[in-house]
Amino acid sequence: MADYDLTLSRDAIPALLDQPAALGKLVEVILNQVLEAQMRDHLGAERYQRCEEREGYRNGYRDRQLSTRVGSLVLRVPQTRDGSFSTDIFERYRRSEQAFVVGLMEMVVNGVSTRKVTRITEGLCGTSFSKSTVSRLAKALDEPVAGFLNRRLDAAYPFIIVDALFTKVRTDKSVVSKALLIASGIRADGYREILGLSIGDSESFATWNEFFRGLKARGLHGVDVAVSDNHSGLREAIAKQFVGATWQRCQFHVMKNLLDHAPKKERENVTAAARLIFLATDRKEAERRYAEFMARFAETAPKSCVCLEGAFEDMFAILPLPEKYRRRLRTSNMQERLNEEIRRREKVIRIFPNDAAAIRMVGALLSEQNDEWLGRAYFDMTEYFEWKATTVAKPAAVKRDRRAA
């Protein structure tokens, strides 16, 4: 690595120190000199110097903002005529940000972008780009993302939470809706991990079954409880691949279903009454509150009553567990928060240019989230394993759909 001799004129020091953001301005001056030194190293020559070793020519500057702990800095990045100069100063993008940018670039290259997307992309990248540039950046991201999504799952995962969201992907000159299948797990030591990601043409038994088979082939085992919504294909795949595990129907999705079937004037009351049922601490209390709900809304919200009647048993599958584990396992909200972050990025891209772009961006985002999760335990599992060891009968096993048997 080359050494850089940085200078600061004596006249500039008082001006810098008189400013409120003195440290930031000082860093800005130093980094601009570093950029100049990197350009000299890249070209093998000083400004205006003519020599045989010179490997290119300058082409002005472009301003780039860099957010740091000492404030927002404006750096003057030197340019070359062939666009070959790059600097590691801006290589602070996280993997998901890089994947996000590559996704936008792919849209532009494939001719499916809007003017807004083009402006955003060129603003982030600082220059125009070619298919070869996109290919090079994508290749650098695909390897670590694939490594994360295909890693071994050697720990036991007593709890898994699964969900899917739909996104739009361009396929054979048309735009189709595809399902992103995502699974997370809570290990025997209480730490969370994102287990895997897959993309399929639909959210069906076949796609979920293949996804779970892939997770098990990578080592997933020890599943006691699976939490999900009531999609029939998903429920059937859980029953087939995790025999003997408890299936907990997500109470958040049950609430949404109740409200969808309730008249507008009763939605607030239905919400309050249903929440009391969800928070019941034992079976007897849950049944009492359920009976009150059915009596109260039999006339004013009959469809909500029918919906609750069909969901009651499955949404309390985790009730036998120690109380400290129920609150976080009664819904798939942990997974829903992941989906919200994915949606935030997806709104800008709108349509992925291909399956690989979707996997790259979402996989990179999940990889970073996984790193954050591993920094702090989600559960203390001591009480759970003590309960499991002393409980004669395990929680009710998943009941397979008779039609699928």
Side-chain angles (χ1 to χ4, degrees):
M1 181 182 295
D3 293 328
Y4 300 136
D5 294 324
L6 306 176
T7 61
L8 187 63
S9 68
R10 182 175 298 176
D11 294 338
I13 294 176
L16 286 173
L17 297 180
D18 285 342
Q19 297 184 48
L23 183 57
K25 294 300 294 182
L26 182 60
V27 173
E28 185 176 278
V29 169
I30 292 173
L31 289 181
N32 277 320
Q33 291 190 43
V34 170
L35 288 169
E36 284 293 333
Q38 289 180 335
M39 175 60 88
R40 289 195 299 271
D41 289 346
H42 177 72
L43 296 179
E46 299 284 347
R47 292 175 62 87
Y48 310 115
Q49 181 184 4
R50 297 184 180 278
C51 60
E52 293 182 0
E53 293 79 16
R54 191 179 191 97
E55 297 184 0
Y57 295 90
R58 290 174 176 260
N59 189 33
Y61 297 84
R62 60 181 171 86
D63 289 344
R64 286 280 304 275
Q65 277 198 326
L66 179 65
S67 296
T68 71
R69 295 185 183 184
V70 294
S72 181
L73 313 181
V74 178
L75 303 186
R76 301 188 70 227
V77 183
Q79 302 293 285
T80 56
R81 292 180 186 177
D82 60 3
S84 60
F85 174 69
S86 64
T87 173
D88 57 0
I89 289 177
F90 297 98
E91 294 299 320
R92 298 257 179 207
Y93 289 120
R94 300 174 64 165
R95 288 186 298 272
S96 62
E97 294 300 327
Q98 292 174 353
F100 176 64
V101 171
V102 172
L104 292 173
M105 293 169 73
E106 284 188 301
M107 291 176 64
V108 177
V109 168
N110 285 278
V112 297
S113 67
T114 63
R115 292 180 181 177
K116 177 182 177 182
V117 171
T118 304
R119 289 198 302 271
I120 292 172
T121 309
E122 293 190 355
L124 287 169
C125 300
T127 185
S128 58
F129 38 81
S130 64
K131 289 186 178 181
S132 60
T133 300
V134 174
S135 178
R136 176 174 54 82
L137 293 174
K139 185 177 180 180
L141 285 166
D142 286 342
E143 186 175 344
V145 169
F148 167 71
L149 295 178
N150 296 318
R151 74 194 190 281
R152 287 289 302 172
L153 303 173
D154 293 324
Y157 296 85
F159 311 135
I160 65 170
I161 302 175
V162 295
D163 199 8
L165 70 158
F166 283 83
T167 190
K168 293 184 178 180
V169 180
R170 186 169 292 273
T171 304
D172 296 329
K173 298 182 180 180
S174 63
V175 176
V176 299
S177 181
K178 291 200 172 185
L180 292 169
L181 314 181
I182 305 172
S184 299
I186 301 170
R187 300 187 317 211
D189 61 3
Y191 284 83
R192 292 181 290 174
E193 279 193 57
I194 293 169
L195 304 178
L197 165 69
S198 181
I199 189 167
D201 293 333
S202 64
E203 188 185 3
S204 64
F205 164 73
T207 55
W208 277 115
N209 191 56
E210 186 64 25
F211 179 50
F212 291 146
R213 285 179 60 187
L215 294 179
K216 290 171 69 177
R218 288 167 47 209
L220 177 62
H221 67 281
V223 176
D224 293 335
V225 178
V227 185
S228 76
D229 63 18
N230 192 42
H231 188 282
S232 58
L234 171 54
R235 191 176 66 245
E236 182 184 352
I238 289 173
K240 180 175 181 179
Q241 294 297 331
F242 304 111
V243 177
T246 296
W247 173 59
Q248 166 67 27
R249 182 172 176 179
C250 172
Q251 293 181 3
F252 173 77
H253 285 90
V254 173
M255 178 69 86
K256 288 176 63 177
N257 293 339
L258 293 177
L259 296 180
D260 287 343
H261 290 91
K264 287 186 178 180
K265 64 180 181 179
E266 285 286 16
R267 285 179 183 172
E268 186 174 344
N269 294 328
V270 166
T271 300
R275 187 172 288 118
L276 289 176
I277 301 174
F278 296 154
L279 297 178
T281 56
D282 56 47
R283 177 80 183 195
K284 184 177 181 180
E285 183 64 17
E287 290 178 346
R288 185 184 67 80
R289 295 177 182 181
Y290 165 78
E292 291 177 353
F293 182 100
M294 300 297 280
R296 180 178 178 182
F297 298 107
E299 299 294 332
T300 58
K303 292 183 178 179
S304 294
C305 290
V306 172
C307 179
L308 183 62
E309 183 179 15
F312 183 79
E313 291 297 330
D314 293 326
M315 72 184 193
F316 281 111
I318 48 92
L319 206 53
L321 270 64
E323 186 175 356
K324 65 184 294 183
Y325 303 100
R326 297 177 203 160
R327 188 171 187 86
R328 287 177 170 174
L329 294 177
R330 66 187 182 88
T331 71
S332 59
N333 286 354
M334 183 179 84
Q335 209 71 4
E336 291 291 334
R337 284 191 284 273
L338 283 177
N339 292 351
E340 289 174 5
E341 183 61 22
I342 294 169
R343 289 292 188 205
R344 185 175 70 84
R345 306 299 183 86
E346 182 202 40
K347 285 179 181 178
V348 179
I349 291 182
R350 294 177 54 239
I351 301 171
F352 285 102
N354 48 54
D355 286 0
I359 292 292
R360 182 184 308 121
M361 193 200 81
V362 178
L365 182 65
L366 296 179
S367 175
E368 288 180 355
Q369 183 61 68
N370 190 72
D371 290 344
E372 292 184 15
W373 279 359
L374 291 176
R376 181 167 58 92
Y378 193 64
F379 279 140
D380 178 352
M381 298 291 286
T382 304
E383 187 177 344
Y384 173 74
F385 285 112
E386 290 176 351
W387 168 84
K388 185 177 178 180
T390 58
T391 302
V392 176
K394 291 181 64 177
V398 178
K399 296 179 180 179
R400 293 188 60 186
D401 193 325
R402 289 182 181 178
R403 293 172 296 178

